[in-house]
């Protein structure tokens, strides 16, 4: 890049930022921090694991653009599938109508989902999927003569979205506290988070101990619980906290014993993130509801799907309209989203993605292993293609930094200046790259993460 071009692009980026900050309200952001504390990065295009800024600077997308992108930006097979579908049918009302990509996607999802799931209901995004599952659970119990099942159990430190019902099931104060007067009041069970294990306690033992506490909550509320909702294996927005699959197995048994549904929120962890196509597979369980979004379309379009059982579906079949599930979204079953999702699923087969991911995950583990020795690293943990590094004032004692220090933000700023998107969760840095990430990119990611930790933890 010559000097004149570089200067022109920087000027264009500066003008873009000014225009943007005059009219746009960005998500999950204290806008007062722009443009000073938190840099706004205008992006022109994406290719593979990289984003390119308006100023020409390239950024390694280590967080898959909020965990949505699976195979890289502008993946040509998905892009072409969307373009081809757009030339035929962009959208049609899905009440009383059907179309080929919607039908084909439902069949494809059910063919690969945990056994026992037999129906697909489409939504617009992850929060919508959770809302759908919560309403379906309660309504199906009511239709079967149990209207008293009005309570839900969720896990401490969990996150399920930002709409009122979904937010109600979350336990992260940063998101929940201000809206508390508006929210449902679930019963919160202690998280099986292995980071919180007692001294000498294994991850599995911790999971089983927490499962016993879950059972006690069910026992204290007989006949009142509609469903348990959880994020299988990894609580992502809660800090990439991870738990043993034994918890899922016991949770399934406990729900069955008490006549409650199990809702698996795999919005973030589905489609290969944990090493298997769906995280529930690692526990050998089938939920009553499987919520999917984010990677469903390979990161191209907003869309979600809720998979459920014949028993749930049949509870709504009746001559009475009141017993029907009268929930809808204008863009339910959007053909463009379905086409993208079908192309994404096809890539899993054609490229043997899960096998390749196992090699990538092993390389991620090897590159991150030295970080565990840092005095301000309390934990390096990994499940499949998700790896997290927890920073602390005292790594050995797990004593956190004061929240006001914002060490994670310091790491983020350091990394973005070096061409890596390393967006933290508090003081937890994580890697969740697109599956196309290569060796040189991983080495760059590890080097920048190492220097970012040094910058973030110095006095």
């Amino acid at each position: 890049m010559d000097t004149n071009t570089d200067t022109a692009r920087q000027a264009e980026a500066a003008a873009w930022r000014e225009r943007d900050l005059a009219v746009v309200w960005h998500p999950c952001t204290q806008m007062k921090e722009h443009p000073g504390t938190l840099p706004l990065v205008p992006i022109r295009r994406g290719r593979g694991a990289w984003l390119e800024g308006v100023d020409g600077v390239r950024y390694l997308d280590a967080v898959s653009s909020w965990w949505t992108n699976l195979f890289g930006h502008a993946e040509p097979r998905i892009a072409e599938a969307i373009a081809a579908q757009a030339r035929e049918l962009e959208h049609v009302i899905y009440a009383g109508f059907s179309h080929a990509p919607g039908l084909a996607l439902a069949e494809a999802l059910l063919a690969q989902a945990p056994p026992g799931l037999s129906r697909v209901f489409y939504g617009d995004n992850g929060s919508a999927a959770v809302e759908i599952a919560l309403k379906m659970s309660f309504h199906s119990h009511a239709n079967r003569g149990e209207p008293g099942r009005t309570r839900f159990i969720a896990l401490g430190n969990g996150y399920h979205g930002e709409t009122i019902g979904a937010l109600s099931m979350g336990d992260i104060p940063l998101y929940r506290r201000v809206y508390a007067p508006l929210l449902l009041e679930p019963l919160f069970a202690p998280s099986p988070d292995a980071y919180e294990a007692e001294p000498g306690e294994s991850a599995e033992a911790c999971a089983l101990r927490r499962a016993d506490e879950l059972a006690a909550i069910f026992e204290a509320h007989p006949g009142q619980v509609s469903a348990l909702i959880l994020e299988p294996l990894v609580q992502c927005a809660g800090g990439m906290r991870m738990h043993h699959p034994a918890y899922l197995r016991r949770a399934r048994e406990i729900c069955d014993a008490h006549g409650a549904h199990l809702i698996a929120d795999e919005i973030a962890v589905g489609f290969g993130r944990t090493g298997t196509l769906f995280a529930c597979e690692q526990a050998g369980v089938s939920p009553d509801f499987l919520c999917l979004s984010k990677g469903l379309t390979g990161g191209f379009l907003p869309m979600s799907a809720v998979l459920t059982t014949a028993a749930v579906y049949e509870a709504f079949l009746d001559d009475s309209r009141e017993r029907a599930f009268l929930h809808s979204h204008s863009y339910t079953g959007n053909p463009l989203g379905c086409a993208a999702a079908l192309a994404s699923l096809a890539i899993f087969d054609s490229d043997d993605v899960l096998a390749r991911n196992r090699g990538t995950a092993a390389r991620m583990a090897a590159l991150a292993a030295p970080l565990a020795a840092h005095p301000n690293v309390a934990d390096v943990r990994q499940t499949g293609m998700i790896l997290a590094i927890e920073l602390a004032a005292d790594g050995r004692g797990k004593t956190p930094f004061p929240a006001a220090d914002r060490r994670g933000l310091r790491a983020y700023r350091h990394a973005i200046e070096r061409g890596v998107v390393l967006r933290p969760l508090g003081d937890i840095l994580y890697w969740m790259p697109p599956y196309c990430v290569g060796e040189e990119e991983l080495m760059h990611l590890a080097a920048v993460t190492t220097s970012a930790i040094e910058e973030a933890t110095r006095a």
Side-chain angles (χ1 to χ4, degrees):
M1 184 185 302
D2 62 50
T3 303
N4 289 337
T5 301
D6 186 29
T7 301
R9 287 183 173 178
Q10 289 177 4
E12 182 183 0
W16 186 309
R17 292 187 187 95
E18 185 176 353
R19 288 173 55 202
D20 183 291
L21 294 175
V23 296
V24 177
W25 192 341
H26 289 270
C28 204
T29 300
Q30 171 48 266
M31 292 299 294
K32 193 174 182 180
E33 295 182 336
H34 287 316
T37 305
L38 193 64
L40 183 67
V41 185
I43 295 298
R44 184 187 303 278
R45 64 173 61 90
R47 291 293 184 275
W50 294 87
L51 299 165
E52 182 184 321
V54 169
D55 57 5
V57 176
R58 297 173 75 232
Y59 302 91
L60 180 62
D61 187 358
V63 301
S64 293
S65 291
W66 254 341
W67 324 335
T68 61
N69 192 284
L70 297 186
F71 307 114
H73 295 282
E75 210 295 328
R77 289 167 288 185
I78 301 177
E80 177 52 35
I82 295 171
Q85 182 60 47
R87 290 189 288 267
E88 297 297 323
L89 176 66
E90 81 298 338
H91 189 62
V92 64
I93 182 175
Y94 213 52
F97 290 81
S98 179
H99 51 70
L103 174 56
L105 177 58
E107 292 173 337
L109 288 172
L110 294 174
Q112 300 194 56
L117 297 169
S118 64
R119 292 284 171 172
V120 177
F121 194 101
Y122 293 121
D124 290 357
N125 56 63
S127 293
V130 170
E131 299 279 352
I132 289 163
L134 296 175
K135 290 175 67 177
M136 273 187 180
S137 175
F138 163 75
H139 198 167
S140 65
H141 284 303
N143 281 353
R144 291 191 181 280
E146 294 187 282
R149 289 188 177 270
T150 60
R151 304 301 301 272
F152 293 92
I153 299 178
L155 298 189
N157 195 53
Y159 175 88
H160 301 283
E162 297 292 345
T163 52
I164 293 297
L167 184 61
S168 296
M169 300 300 119
D171 184 46
I172 300 176
L174 178 65
Y175 305 117
R176 181 185 177 90
R177 185 186 298 114
V178 69
Y179 304 107
L182 307 178
L183 303 181
L184 303 173
E185 296 184 3
L187 303 163
F188 284 109
S191 170
D193 176 12
Y195 186 76
E196 300 294 340
E198 296 176 351
E201 185 179 42
S202 68
E204 182 175 11
C206 176
L208 293 174
R209 173 169 58 84
R210 292 305 197 190
D212 289 340
E213 295 175 90
L214 171 67
I217 294 173
F218 270 96
E219 290 162 5
H221 298 84
Q224 298 176 32
V225 177
S226 182
L228 164 67
I229 182 170
L230 50 74
E231 302 158 271
L233 301 187
V234 185
Q235 293 182 302
C236 292
M240 300 298 169
R241 294 294 181 86
M242 302 174 183
H243 56 264
H244 193 277
Y247 188 83
L248 301 181
R249 288 191 287 271
R250 285 282 289 122
R252 176 72 277 179
E253 294 169 0
I254 293 166
C255 287
D256 288 343
H258 292 272
H261 295 136
L262 175 61
I263 302 173
D265 175 352
E266 294 218 19
I267 291 162
V269 300
F271 299 106
R273 289 291 182 193
T274 66
T276 47
L277 190 63
F278 301 114
C280 285
E281 295 175 42
Q282 297 185 39
V285 302
S286 294
D288 299 287
F289 299 91
L290 180 64
C291 298
L292 304 172
S293 189
K294 290 192 181 287
L296 173 61
T297 65
F300 273 68
L301 290 169
M303 186 180 188
S304 63
V306 178
L307 281 57
T308 192
T309 64
V312 170
Y313 174 76
E314 289 166 4
F316 292 87
L317 301 181
D318 190 81
D319 293 333
S320 168
R321 188 165 173 79
E322 286 72 22
R323 291 173 64 92
F325 190 61
L326 303 179
H327 181 105
S328 63
H329 296 270
S330 299
Y331 283 92
T332 294
N334 176 254
L336 302 178
C338 292
L342 283 165
S344 180
L345 287 174
I347 292 172
F348 275 98
D349 294 331
S350 64
D351 293 9
D352 200 6
V353 171
L354 296 179
R356 187 179 67 197
N357 281 1
R358 286 192 286 273
T360 304
R363 187 64 182 135
M364 288 167 59
L367 289 168
L371 298 174
H374 193 285
N376 295 115
V377 171
D379 193 29
V380 176
R381 51 184 175 268
Q382 183 177 10
T383 299
M385 291 289 290
I386 306 172
L387 187 146
I389 305 111
E390 184 137 355
L391 306 184
D394 172 18
R396 184 178 296 274
K398 297 184 177 180
T399 304
F401 284 109
D405 286 3
R406 303 193 70 181
R407 303 290 180 140
L409 176 60
R410 287 166 60 175
Y412 171 77
R413 289 175 59 93
H414 178 91
I416 206 77
E417 290 169 0
R418 288 153 183 79
V420 174
V421 182
L422 198 65
R423 186 181 175 94
L425 294 160
D427 288 342
I428 299 162
L429 310 180
Y430 67 91
W431 301 348
M432 198 190 291
Y435 302 159
C436 63
V437 68
E439 172 66 16
E440 290 186 7
E441 293 158 337
L442 287 174
M443 291 180 68
H444 178 55
L445 173 58
V448 171
T449 302
T450 300
S451 62
I453 290 172
E454 290 294 339
E455 171 61 27
T457 58
R458 68 179 57 180

